[in-house]
Amino acid sequence: MLFYESIGVGKPIVFLHGFLENHKIWNRLQNDLFHHNQIITIDLPGHGNSENFQEVNTMEEMAEKVIEVLDELNLEKVAFVGHSMGGYVTCALADLFPERVENIVLINSSTLPDDEAKKNQRLKACETARKNFNALVSFSMPTLFAAHHRDQFKDELKFVKEIALKTPIEGVCAALKGMRQRPDRSSILYDFKGGIYIIVGMNDETVNPELFLTLIPNLPNIHLYKFDGGHMAFIENYDEVLSILKSI
């Protein structure tokens, strides 16, 4: 069973963190939402307090583990909020378990698979993590924030780095290999019947929004938000994201 926390009462929202993050990344949003919602924050496999189960943690297997948490909590249907890798897991949930998913919120994520360059980059990142994880974290974490936001969010960047450094190397590599294997799930943009809320950072250097934006259909259940920020919209554009989450 994955580690999770559940606080508050009301409509349930499940939060799925990104790569090198854990449930604590949602602390501020959790504190602002639990008065009106049941907020469930989960540590995905190999992250935070959840053990690493295997050499490759696919998005599909992560989704199955998340469903186990819903079953444990006796929750039939919930809204999911996924950041980056958590968004890939959310897409897998909407694809494989649509009857358990009410609405989805994708924060700095995509329905698209990795291209060949990104697949190679994932393997190199795993090698680097094994050799010098501190260097990987120190180099990559600042790029999560838009260049013009890095001074403004120094404390938040420090917090994100601290969380990242607690991720075990086996969990790091298993997630990288899992993300590398994920399929194209763009069909959910047409097939999923619930609300789809897509939050994009126009200065995102991690998940490039350009190609994904060309795929998003103009359908009544799809709500698209474009922000002047990087890969951490729920930090860089906090008030706007909070407002969106209150509306789902």
Side-chain angles (χ1 to χ4, degrees), residues 155-242:
D155 290 344
E156 290 81 358
L157 173 56
K158 183 169 176 260
F159 178 59
V160 170
K161 278 185 179 175
E162 285 168 3
I163 285 180
L165 287 168
K166 290 181 177 145
T167 314
I169 301 299
E170 294 313 316
V172 171
C173 286
L176 285 164
K177 290 172 185 173
M179 288 188 283
R180 191 174 177 271
Q181 290 183 14
R182 75 185 191 280
D184 189 337
R185 286 213 153 86
S186 300
S187 60
I188 67 164
L189 298 172
Y190 295 89
D191 297 342
F192 181 68
K193 301 304 179 214
I196 301 175
Y197 300 79
I198 298 170
I199 296 170
V200 170
M202 296 308 289
N203 307 106
D204 192 336
E205 295 176 28
T206 304
V207 177
N208 188 319
E210 296 302 327
L211 183 57
F212 184 37
L213 285 172
T214 67
L215 296 181
I216 299 169
N218 184 17
L219 293 172
N221 66 319
I222 295 182
H223 311 271
L224 175 62
Y225 306 88
K226 295 188 270 192
F227 294 129
D228 172 31
H231 190 62
M232 306 296 279
F234 64 100
I235 295 175
E236 295 173 82
N237 307 98
Y238 182 82
D239 291 338
E240 296 92 333
V241 171
L242 177 62

Side-chain angles (χ1 to χ4, degrees), residues 69-121:
V69 174
L70 294 197
D71 291 343
E72 169 96 357
L73 291 166
N74 293 314
L75 293 171
E76 195 55 42
K77 200 167 188 177
V78 303
F80 283 95
V81 178
H83 174 237
S84 195
M85 180 180 79
Y88 306 150
V89 178
T90 297
C91 290
L93 285 155
D95 186 17
L96 304 172
F97 304 97
E99 73 285 354
R100 308 297 297 272
V101 184
E102 184 178 3
N103 298 312
I104 63 174
V105 182
L106 303 179
I107 303 176
N108 306 113
S109 196
S110 176
T111 58
L112 289 166
D114 282 351
D115 60 21
E116 286 308 310
K118 189 75 172 180
K119 284 182 180 179
N120 291 332
Q121 192 183 325

